[in-house]
Amino acid sequence: MKKFFFLNWPRKAKILYGLLFLVGLFYLFLPGPPVPQLGENFPFERGFISQMMGEPVATFYTNQGQEEVLLFFQKNYSRSPFLNLPLLVQKTDYFPQEAYELINDMHSAKNTNFLVELRQPGRESLIIKGFGETNPEEISKKDPAKITSFRPEDGKEYHLQITVYQIKTPPTIRVLMLCLIFLITPVVFLGIIKTVREIWRELSTRD
């Protein structure tokens, strides 16, 4: 175990591991992109807010479909304003019922058609909740009385409401997580090597 302790490593290994740590630190503190603006950010409706225990950062109305909306957010949330550097973004789809646990939406079964999280690992994430018509091509086939519509402003009708939540990890937690990963990794690596060696010895002994 001692030879895997950082201070006892060869000088080149220390430099390489230190550089990797700095790269990780740089990634964690890169400025994040602003919340992508799908269109005009409308104020919350009082009835809508009363159903929520967490406040969204943006509410949009659109006639685009679910796929187009999610592609827009993923594209505009995957680069940092600093030198337009790329950021790792993981997409996670949730069941509408899980809105209660994620965003404290107590009426998720009634006002959620899709729920997606775009996560920048170790940094922050966006939770995108869609309510309404998710496929514009099928609207014309539906009974007009069953079509979901919104009129946030006079003279315009939309069929999909997008609510966006943002979750940010505090800087101290980011650094702590990174330090734990870099401390634990050598120990795990040593354990794997020992296990492989033991298996190899057993196989060699049998032969």
Side-chain angles (χ1 to χ4, degrees):
M1 181 67 74
K2 288 184 178 180
K3 65 180 181 180
F4 273 82
F5 188 68
F6 184 77
L7 295 178
N8 296 322
W9 286 7
R11 188 167 181 271
K12 289 183 179 180
K14 288 181 185 178
I15 293 174
L16 178 61
Y17 209 61
L19 287 174
L20 286 175
F21 181 81
L22 291 176
V23 169
L25 205 61
F26 177 72
Y27 164 78
L28 291 181
F29 284 95
L30 270 175
V35 175
Q37 299 297 299
L38 185 62
E40 182 180 352
N41 187 357
F42 288 92
F44 309 120
E45 300 173 17
R46 293 310 308 170
F48 180 69
I49 293 179
S50 66
Q51 297 175 2
M52 297 292 185
M53 294 177 66
E55 186 172 308
V57 294
T59 300
F60 305 108
Y61 295 90
T62 180
N63 286 319
Q64 297 181 53
Q66 174 181 342
E67 187 175 343
E68 293 175 280
V69 168
L70 294 178
L71 283 174
F72 170 83
F73 277 98
Q74 195 160 4
K75 178 182 177 182
N76 291 277
Y77 193 61
S78 60
R79 289 191 174 273
S80 169
F82 182 74
L83 300 178
N84 203 33
L85 292 174
L87 296 168
L88 176 63
V89 175
Q90 297 175 336
K91 178 186 171 186
T92 305
D93 294 288
Y94 295 98
F95 292 109
Q97 298 89 331
E98 294 181 272
Y100 180 75
E101 289 79 13
L102 286 172
I103 54 178
N104 293 321
D105 184 351
M106 296 179 290
H107 299 265
S108 57
K110 297 180 180 179
N111 63 15
T112 304
N113 289 97
F114 64 86
L115 189 67
V116 174
E117 181 178 8
L118 299 179
R119 182 188 299 113
Q120 297 173 7
R123 293 169 44 87
E124 59 185 63
S125 63
L126 289 183
I127 295 178
I128 302 164
K129 184 174 82 79
F131 173 48
E133 306 298 333
T134 58
N135 189 347
E137 296 179 0
E138 294 185 359
I139 293 178
S140 59
K141 303 175 185 177
K142 296 182 67 174
D143 181 349
K146 296 182 179 180
I147 296 175
T148 305
S149 60
F150 306 92
R151 292 181 175 81
E153 54 184 336
D154 294 335
K156 290 188 178 181
E157 182 180 65
Y158 301 94
H159 297 292
L160 184 61
Q161 179 191 65
I162 302 296
T163 311
V164 183
Y165 291 78
Q166 189 173 36
I167 302 172
K168 290 190 175 184
T169 305
T172 52
I173 301 299
R174 297 184 191 185
V175 175
L176 180 61
M177 289 173 59
L178 183 66
C179 290
L180 287 174
I181 290 172
F182 271 76
L183 288 172
I184 293 172
T185 298
V187 178
V188 174
F189 184 64
L190 176 61
I192 293 173
I193 290 178
K194 284 185 174 181
T195 302
V196 171
R197 283 179 177 175
E198 289 176 4
I199 294 173
W200 181 258
R201 285 175 184 173
E202 288 181 7
L203 292 174
S204 299
T205 304
R206 290 178 184 177
D207 295 338

